[in-house]
Amino acid sequence: MKKIMLIIISVVMLFAACKNSTENITNTTAESYIETSAPTQINPAEEFNGITLGMTKDEIINTLGKQPDRVTNSNIKYNNESYFNIENAEVSYFINDVYGLIFVSATYHYPTGSEQKMIDYTSIKEELFKRYPQETFTEFSEEDNNLKFNTENRYVSLSAADEDSLYVIIGIDDMEKLQKKSNNNAETPSETQIDPAEEFDGITFGMSKEDVIKTLSKDPDYETEETLEYSNEIFFGLSNASIMYDFDDNALNLIFVSYSYRSESEKEQIPADYAYLKEELLKRYPESAFTYFSEQNDRFSFFTENRNAMLTMSDYSIIFTIGKLDMDE
């Protein structure tokens, strides 16, 4: 349970690190910034094969010279790419209306238990250290197959903690270094997204623990300084849900839901319930609001401008997490 939460939270932390949004970079301004702040860091023109942070959607497509496999308002995705010299990468470019390209991610999928995943992890780690030498680091950590570091102008995350995938994310660490493209507010959520008051039956992100308890009209089954836990609940219309509300500085920022299936007859219901939950999510968060999207047979995940969600199923459970993203200007 905690492993899945840590993966979600690590991505949320990336967006939190991108709190102040970005400028329209040209190759000239990007190179100038790198030269004055981190002389040993990779040249921006070579960082993403000619793509530079701050580019528009059209500039990215023109530079790559081919149409993407998926396009949304804020994301361009290419499947089956070679990235960091490793094949079969899903490469996504995340574009903000105000600031252009703000970060790039590459995801690689593996059969469960594959030894190749950690071989690739080590290879990508070595490549990252070539591009961003350790003398440029301002922060660094690596534990449980999660590598994170900052330079003066980049945030980098490499993770192999998920059972069957590996991902790397590189973004601008200080968006104030970049120039705005327009006066649009990047924080404004999609108009088609569900009203927050209806999102979780009256529960909204930012609520205090006391507000959540009052709204639910009952005390939790278990409580810590940072969490409230309820058992045998109904969530999104399905019963037998265990729900954990996670708080940061007494403000709700993550909801973790687990549905358990014990008997053989119950387990047969898992695919239908998974499909139902996916349909419910798409009612609340239409694809037009997605900035990132990924789907496999047993996993459905996406970002909107202010939400981060993952739905997974196994032989005995369905797990759903949703977190709040902050893209403050």
PDB file of all heavy atoms in Angstrom, residues 69-94:
ATOM      1  N   ASP A  69       1.608  10.212 -31.037  1.00  0.00           N
ATOM      2  CA  ASP A  69       0.595   9.163 -30.949  1.00  0.00           C
ATOM      3  C   ASP A  69      -0.627   9.632 -30.177  1.00  0.00           C
ATOM      4  O   ASP A  69      -1.723   9.088 -30.337  1.00  0.00           O
ATOM      5  CB  ASP A  69       1.187   7.921 -30.268  1.00  0.00           C
ATOM      6  CG  ASP A  69       2.272   7.280 -31.110  1.00  0.00           C
ATOM      7  OD1 ASP A  69       1.922   6.696 -32.148  1.00  0.00           O
ATOM      8  OD2 ASP A  69       3.453   7.391 -30.747  1.00  0.00           O
ATOM      9  N   ARG A  70      -0.432  10.623 -29.328  1.00  0.00           N
ATOM     10  CA  ARG A  70      -1.554  11.161 -28.561  1.00  0.00           C
ATOM     11  C   ARG A  70      -1.305  12.635 -28.284  1.00  0.00           C
ATOM     12  O   ARG A  70      -0.190  13.035 -27.933  1.00  0.00           O
ATOM     13  CB  ARG A  70      -1.723  10.403 -27.238  1.00  0.00           C
ATOM     14  CG  ARG A  70      -2.876  10.904 -26.376  1.00  0.00           C
ATOM     15  CD  ARG A  70      -2.979  10.109 -25.070  1.00  0.00           C
ATOM     16  NE  ARG A  70      -4.022  10.621 -24.210  1.00  0.00           N
ATOM     17  CZ  ARG A  70      -5.314  10.307 -24.319  1.00  0.00           C
ATOM     18  NH1 ARG A  70      -5.701   9.478 -25.246  1.00  0.00           N
ATOM     19  NH2 ARG A  70      -6.205  10.818 -23.503  1.00  0.00           N
ATOM     20  N   VAL A  71      -2.369  13.456 -28.438  1.00  0.00           N
ATOM     21  CA  VAL A  71      -2.271  14.885 -28.176  1.00  0.00           C
ATOM     22  C   VAL A  71      -3.455  15.306 -27.312  1.00  0.00           C
ATOM     23  O   VAL A  71      -4.597  14.961 -27.590  1.00  0.00           O
ATOM     24  CB  VAL A  71      -2.289  15.713 -29.480  1.00  0.00           C
ATOM     25  CG1 VAL A  71      -2.203  17.206 -29.159  1.00  0.00           C
ATOM     26  CG2 VAL A  71      -1.153  15.303 -30.393  1.00  0.00           C
ATOM     27  N   THR A  72      -3.186  16.015 -26.210  1.00  0.00           N
ATOM     28  CA  THR A  72      -4.235  16.679 -25.444  1.00  0.00           C
ATOM     29  C   THR A  72      -3.882  18.158 -25.380  1.00  0.00           C
ATOM     30  O   THR A  72      -2.873  18.588 -25.948  1.00  0.00           O
ATOM     31  CB  THR A  72      -4.355  16.100 -24.021  1.00  0.00           C
ATOM     32  OG1 THR A  72      -3.195  16.483 -23.256  1.00  0.00           O
ATOM     33  CG2 THR A  72      -4.475  14.592 -24.039  1.00  0.00           C
ATOM     34  N   ASN A  73      -4.685  18.926 -24.662  1.00  0.00           N
ATOM     35  CA  ASN A  73      -4.410  20.360 -24.567  1.00  0.00           C
ATOM     36  C   ASN A  73      -3.036  20.644 -23.970  1.00  0.00           C
ATOM     37  O   ASN A  73      -2.391  21.620 -24.321  1.00  0.00           O
ATOM     38  CB  ASN A  73      -5.477  21.039 -23.707  1.00  0.00           C
ATOM     39  CG  ASN A  73      -6.823  21.070 -24.384  1.00  0.00           C
ATOM     40  OD1 ASN A  73      -6.912  20.994 -25.606  1.00  0.00           O
ATOM     41  ND2 ASN A  73      -7.884  21.166 -23.596  1.00  0.00           N
ATOM     42  N   SER A  74      -2.573  19.770 -23.074  1.00  0.00           N
ATOM     43  CA  SER A  74      -1.345  20.060 -22.335  1.00  0.00           C
ATOM     44  C   SER A  74      -0.295  18.965 -22.436  1.00  0.00           C
ATOM     45  O   SER A  74       0.688  18.999 -21.697  1.00  0.00           O
ATOM     46  CB  SER A  74      -1.674  20.307 -20.857  1.00  0.00           C
ATOM     47  OG  SER A  74      -2.629  21.323 -20.710  1.00  0.00           O
ATOM     48  N   ASN A  75      -0.468  18.007 -23.330  1.00  0.00           N
ATOM     49  CA  ASN A  75       0.457  16.889 -23.378  1.00  0.00           C
ATOM     50  C   ASN A  75       0.612  16.359 -24.799  1.00  0.00           C
ATOM     51  O   ASN A  75      -0.354  16.248 -25.545  1.00  0.00           O
ATOM     52  CB  ASN A  75      -0.045  15.775 -22.447  1.00  0.00           C
ATOM     53  CG  ASN A  75       0.795  14.506 -22.539  1.00  0.00           C
ATOM     54  OD1 ASN A  75       0.367  13.529 -23.136  1.00  0.00           O
ATOM     55  ND2 ASN A  75       1.964  14.538 -21.955  1.00  0.00           N
ATOM     56  N   ILE A  76       1.844  16.046 -25.169  1.00  0.00           N
ATOM     57  CA  ILE A  76       2.145  15.359 -26.419  1.00  0.00           C
ATOM     58  C   ILE A  76       2.843  14.063 -26.053  1.00  0.00           C
ATOM     59  O   ILE A  76       3.827  14.074 -25.309  1.00  0.00           O
ATOM     60  CB  ILE A  76       3.073  16.193 -27.328  1.00  0.00           C
ATOM     61  CG1 ILE A  76       2.437  17.534 -27.658  1.00  0.00           C
ATOM     62  CG2 ILE A  76       3.399  15.448 -28.607  1.00  0.00           C
ATOM     63  CD1 ILE A  76       3.371  18.455 -28.410  1.00  0.00           C
ATOM     64  N   LYS A  77       2.361  12.938 -26.582  1.00  0.00           N
ATOM     65  CA  LYS A  77       2.921  11.646 -26.202  1.00  0.00           C
ATOM     66  C   LYS A  77       3.329  10.846 -27.437  1.00  0.00           C
ATOM     67  O   LYS A  77       2.584  10.765 -28.409  1.00  0.00           O
ATOM     68  CB  LYS A  77       1.898  10.850 -25.394  1.00  0.00           C
ATOM     69  CG  LYS A  77       2.394   9.496 -24.912  1.00  0.00           C
ATOM     70  CD  LYS A  77       1.321   8.812 -24.075  1.00  0.00           C
ATOM     71  CE  LYS A  77       1.769   7.445 -23.606  1.00  0.00           C
ATOM     72  NZ  LYS A  77       0.712   6.765 -22.818  1.00  0.00           N
ATOM     73  N   TYR A  78       4.530  10.260 -27.355  1.00  0.00           N
ATOM     74  CA  TYR A  78       5.035   9.384 -28.410  1.00  0.00           C
ATOM     75  C   TYR A  78       5.283   7.995 -27.812  1.00  0.00           C
ATOM     76  O   TYR A  78       5.938   7.864 -26.779  1.00  0.00           O
ATOM     77  CB  TYR A  78       6.341   9.926 -28.981  1.00  0.00           C
ATOM     78  CG  TYR A  78       6.180  11.173 -29.807  1.00  0.00           C
ATOM     79  CD1 TYR A  78       6.171  12.435 -29.200  1.00  0.00           C
ATOM     80  CD2 TYR A  78       6.035  11.115 -31.180  1.00  0.00           C
ATOM     81  CE1 TYR A  78       6.025  13.596 -29.953  1.00  0.00           C
ATOM     82  CE2 TYR A  78       5.894  12.272 -31.951  1.00  0.00           C
ATOM     83  CZ  TYR A  78       5.881  13.507 -31.326  1.00  0.00           C
ATOM     84  OH  TYR A  78       5.733  14.652 -32.081  1.00  0.00           O
ATOM     85  N   ASN A  79       4.760   6.960 -28.457  1.00  0.00           N
ATOM     86  CA  ASN A  79       4.959   5.583 -28.005  1.00  0.00           C
ATOM     87  C   ASN A  79       6.133   4.943 -28.739  1.00  0.00           C
ATOM     88  O   ASN A  79       6.528   5.379 -29.821  1.00  0.00           O
ATOM     89  CB  ASN A  79       3.702   4.743 -28.256  1.00  0.00           C
ATOM     90  CG  ASN A  79       2.506   5.258 -27.487  1.00  0.00           C
ATOM     91  OD1 ASN A  79       2.634   5.777 -26.374  1.00  0.00           O
ATOM     92  ND2 ASN A  79       1.330   5.134 -28.080  1.00  0.00           N
ATOM     93  N   ASN A  80       6.684   3.894 -28.135  1.00  0.00           N
ATOM     94  CA  ASN A  80       7.718   3.075 -28.774  1.00  0.00           C
ATOM     95  C   ASN A  80       8.903   3.905 -29.259  1.00  0.00           C
ATOM     96  O   ASN A  80       9.390   3.743 -30.377  1.00  0.00           O
ATOM     97  CB  ASN A  80       7.121   2.282 -29.945  1.00  0.00           C
ATOM     98  CG  ASN A  80       5.985   1.381 -29.515  1.00  0.00           C
ATOM     99  OD1 ASN A  80       6.075   0.720 -28.476  1.00  0.00           O
ATOM    100  ND2 ASN A  80       4.904   1.367 -30.293  1.00  0.00           N
ATOM    101  N   GLU A  81       9.367   4.810 -28.402  1.00  0.00           N
ATOM    102  CA  GLU A  81      10.518   5.640 -28.714  1.00  0.00           C
ATOM    103  C   GLU A  81      11.792   5.034 -28.126  1.00  0.00           C
ATOM    104  O   GLU A  81      11.753   4.230 -27.192  1.00  0.00           O
ATOM    105  CB  GLU A  81      10.320   7.048 -28.142  1.00  0.00           C
ATOM    106  CG  GLU A  81       9.190   7.822 -28.764  1.00  0.00           C
ATOM    107  CD  GLU A  81       9.479   8.232 -30.190  1.00  0.00           C
ATOM    108  OE1 GLU A  81      10.301   9.137 -30.391  1.00  0.00           O
ATOM    109  OE2 GLU A  81       8.890   7.633 -31.115  1.00  0.00           O
ATOM    110  N   SER A  82      12.925   5.440 -28.664  1.00  0.00           N
ATOM    111  CA  SER A  82      14.219   5.138 -28.056  1.00  0.00           C
ATOM    112  C   SER A  82      14.641   6.356 -27.252  1.00  0.00           C
ATOM    113  O   SER A  82      14.787   7.449 -27.801  1.00  0.00           O
ATOM    114  CB  SER A  82      15.257   4.820 -29.133  1.00  0.00           C
ATOM    115  OG  SER A  82      16.522   4.598 -28.536  1.00  0.00           O
ATOM    116  N   TYR A  83      14.775   6.173 -25.935  1.00  0.00           N
ATOM    117  CA  TYR A  83      15.091   7.311 -25.077  1.00  0.00           C
ATOM    118  C   TYR A  83      16.134   6.876 -24.062  1.00  0.00           C
ATOM    119  O   TYR A  83      16.031   5.804 -23.466  1.00  0.00           O
ATOM    120  CB  TYR A  83      13.819   7.790 -24.377  1.00  0.00           C
ATOM    121  CG  TYR A  83      13.764   9.288 -24.208  1.00  0.00           C
ATOM    122  CD1 TYR A  83      13.516  10.116 -25.297  1.00  0.00           C
ATOM    123  CD2 TYR A  83      13.969   9.885 -22.972  1.00  0.00           C
ATOM    124  CE1 TYR A  83      13.480  11.500 -25.162  1.00  0.00           C
ATOM    125  CE2 TYR A  83      13.918  11.262 -22.815  1.00  0.00           C
ATOM    126  CZ  TYR A  83      13.677  12.066 -23.924  1.00  0.00           C
ATOM    127  OH  TYR A  83      13.629  13.427 -23.793  1.00  0.00           O
ATOM    128  N   PHE A  84      17.164   7.681 -23.886  1.00  0.00           N
ATOM    129  CA  PHE A  84      18.316   7.285 -23.078  1.00  0.00           C
ATOM    130  C   PHE A  84      18.895   5.961 -23.581  1.00  0.00           C
ATOM    131  O   PHE A  84      19.339   5.121 -22.799  1.00  0.00           O
ATOM    132  CB  PHE A  84      17.951   7.179 -21.591  1.00  0.00           C
ATOM    133  CG  PHE A  84      17.628   8.489 -20.946  1.00  0.00           C
ATOM    134  CD1 PHE A  84      16.340   8.775 -20.537  1.00  0.00           C
ATOM    135  CD2 PHE A  84      18.608   9.443 -20.750  1.00  0.00           C
ATOM    136  CE1 PHE A  84      16.038   9.989 -19.943  1.00  0.00           C
ATOM    137  CE2 PHE A  84      18.319  10.662 -20.161  1.00  0.00           C
ATOM    138  CZ  PHE A  84      17.027  10.944 -19.757  1.00  0.00           C
ATOM    139  N   ASN A  85      18.833   5.776 -24.905  1.00  0.00           N
ATOM    140  CA  ASN A  85      19.386   4.590 -25.575  1.00  0.00           C
ATOM    141  C   ASN A  85      18.669   3.302 -25.192  1.00  0.00           C
ATOM    142  O   ASN A  85      19.225   2.208 -25.321  1.00  0.00           O
ATOM    143  CB  ASN A  85      20.888   4.454 -25.274  1.00  0.00           C
ATOM    144  CG  ASN A  85      21.677   5.665 -25.724  1.00  0.00           C
ATOM    145  OD1 ASN A  85      21.474   6.175 -26.822  1.00  0.00           O
ATOM    146  ND2 ASN A  85      22.564   6.136 -24.864  1.00  0.00           N
ATOM    147  N   ILE A  86      17.432   3.399 -24.729  1.00  0.00           N
ATOM    148  CA  ILE A  86      16.632   2.233 -24.373  1.00  0.00           C
ATOM    149  C   ILE A  86      15.338   2.290 -25.172  1.00  0.00           C
ATOM    150  O   ILE A  86      14.679   3.328 -25.237  1.00  0.00           O
ATOM    151  CB  ILE A  86      16.342   2.195 -22.859  1.00  0.00           C
ATOM    152  CG1 ILE A  86      17.665   2.049 -22.094  1.00  0.00           C
ATOM    153  CG2 ILE A  86      15.401   1.039 -22.508  1.00  0.00           C
ATOM    154  CD1 ILE A  86      17.507   2.180 -20.597  1.00  0.00           C
ATOM    155  N   GLU A  87      14.974   1.158 -25.768  1.00  0.00           N
ATOM    156  CA  GLU A  87      13.812   1.109 -26.648  1.00  0.00           C
ATOM    157  C   GLU A  87      12.498   1.037 -25.868  1.00  0.00           C
ATOM    158  O   GLU A  87      12.471   0.841 -24.656  1.00  0.00           O
ATOM    159  CB  GLU A  87      13.915  -0.118 -27.572  1.00  0.00           C
ATOM    160  CG  GLU A  87      15.168  -0.145 -28.437  1.00  0.00           C
ATOM    161  CD  GLU A  87      15.207   1.001 -29.432  1.00  0.00           C
ATOM    162  OE1 GLU A  87      14.131   1.417 -29.907  1.00  0.00           O
ATOM    163  OE2 GLU A  87      16.320   1.482 -29.733  1.00  0.00           O
ATOM    164  N   ASN A  88      11.392   1.203 -26.624  1.00  0.00           N
ATOM    165  CA  ASN A  88      10.025   1.022 -26.106  1.00  0.00           C
ATOM    166  C   ASN A  88       9.665   1.985 -24.982  1.00  0.00           C
ATOM    167  O   ASN A  88       9.004   1.615 -24.016  1.00  0.00           O
ATOM    168  CB  ASN A  88       9.809  -0.429 -25.640  1.00  0.00           C
ATOM    169  CG  ASN A  88       9.983  -1.415 -26.765  1.00  0.00           C
ATOM    170  OD1 ASN A  88       9.556  -1.160 -27.890  1.00  0.00           O
ATOM    171  ND2 ASN A  88      10.625  -2.538 -26.479  1.00  0.00           N
ATOM    172  N   ALA A  89      10.082   3.213 -25.123  1.00  0.00           N
ATOM    173  CA  ALA A  89       9.737   4.232 -24.133  1.00  0.00           C
ATOM    174  C   ALA A  89       8.484   4.983 -24.555  1.00  0.00           C
ATOM    175  O   ALA A  89       8.275   5.253 -25.737  1.00  0.00           O
ATOM    176  CB  ALA A  89      10.886   5.221 -23.963  1.00  0.00           C
ATOM    177  N   GLU A  90       7.627   5.278 -23.589  1.00  0.00           N
ATOM    178  CA  GLU A  90       6.526   6.216 -23.793  1.00  0.00           C
ATOM    179  C   GLU A  90       7.033   7.582 -23.345  1.00  0.00           C
ATOM    180  O   GLU A  90       7.289   7.801 -22.166  1.00  0.00           O
ATOM    181  CB  GLU A  90       5.308   5.819 -22.964  1.00  0.00           C
ATOM    182  CG  GLU A  90       4.687   4.495 -23.352  1.00  0.00           C
ATOM    183  CD  GLU A  90       3.520   4.129 -22.438  1.00  0.00           C
ATOM    184  OE1 GLU A  90       3.215   4.921 -21.516  1.00  0.00           O
ATOM    185  OE2 GLU A  90       2.934   3.056 -22.624  1.00  0.00           O
ATOM    186  N   VAL A  91       7.196   8.505 -24.288  1.00  0.00           N
ATOM    187  CA  VAL A  91       7.770   9.813 -23.982  1.00  0.00           C
ATOM    188  C   VAL A  91       6.681  10.872 -24.060  1.00  0.00           C
ATOM    189  O   VAL A  91       5.995  10.997 -25.072  1.00  0.00           O
ATOM    190  CB  VAL A  91       8.918  10.157 -24.953  1.00  0.00           C
ATOM    191  CG1 VAL A  91       9.541  11.498 -24.577  1.00  0.00           C
ATOM    192  CG2 VAL A  91       9.976   9.050 -24.952  1.00  0.00           C
ATOM    193  N   SER A  92       6.530  11.607 -22.977  1.00  0.00           N
ATOM    194  CA  SER A  92       5.490  12.636 -22.901  1.00  0.00           C
ATOM    195  C   SER A  92       6.123  14.002 -22.658  1.00  0.00           C
ATOM    196  O   SER A  92       7.038  14.139 -21.840  1.00  0.00           O
ATOM    197  CB  SER A  92       4.506  12.322 -21.764  1.00  0.00           C
ATOM    198  OG  SER A  92       3.770  11.149 -22.047  1.00  0.00           O
ATOM    199  N   TYR A  93       5.616  14.990 -23.376  1.00  0.00           N
ATOM    200  CA  TYR A  93       6.042  16.379 -23.227  1.00  0.00           C
ATOM    201  C   TYR A  93       4.876  17.149 -22.619  1.00  0.00           C
ATOM    202  O   TYR A  93       3.791  17.207 -23.207  1.00  0.00           O
ATOM    203  CB  TYR A  93       6.434  16.961 -24.585  1.00  0.00           C
ATOM    204  CG  TYR A  93       7.564  16.218 -25.255  1.00  0.00           C
ATOM    205  CD1 TYR A  93       7.303  15.131 -26.095  1.00  0.00           C
ATOM    206  CD2 TYR A  93       8.888  16.577 -25.033  1.00  0.00           C
ATOM    207  CE1 TYR A  93       8.342  14.429 -26.697  1.00  0.00           C
ATOM    208  CE2 TYR A  93       9.931  15.884 -25.635  1.00  0.00           C
ATOM    209  CZ  TYR A  93       9.652  14.805 -26.465  1.00  0.00           C
ATOM    210  OH  TYR A  93      10.677  14.112 -27.058  1.00  0.00           O
ATOM    211  N   PHE A  94       5.091  17.736 -21.455  1.00  0.00           N
ATOM    212  CA  PHE A  94       4.027  18.425 -20.732  1.00  0.00           C
ATOM    213  C   PHE A  94       4.127  19.917 -20.983  1.00  0.00           C
ATOM    214  O   PHE A  94       5.132  20.553 -20.650  1.00  0.00           O
ATOM    215  CB  PHE A  94       4.121  18.114 -19.240  1.00  0.00           C
ATOM    216  CG  PHE A  94       3.822  16.670 -18.917  1.00  0.00           C
ATOM    217  CD1 PHE A  94       4.789  15.692 -19.073  1.00  0.00           C
ATOM    218  CD2 PHE A  94       2.564  16.295 -18.484  1.00  0.00           C
ATOM    219  CE1 PHE A  94       4.517  14.363 -18.803  1.00  0.00           C
ATOM    220  CE2 PHE A  94       2.275  14.972 -18.211  1.00  0.00           C
ATOM    221  CZ  PHE A  94       3.255  14.000 -18.372  1.00  0.00           C
TER     222      PHE A  94
END
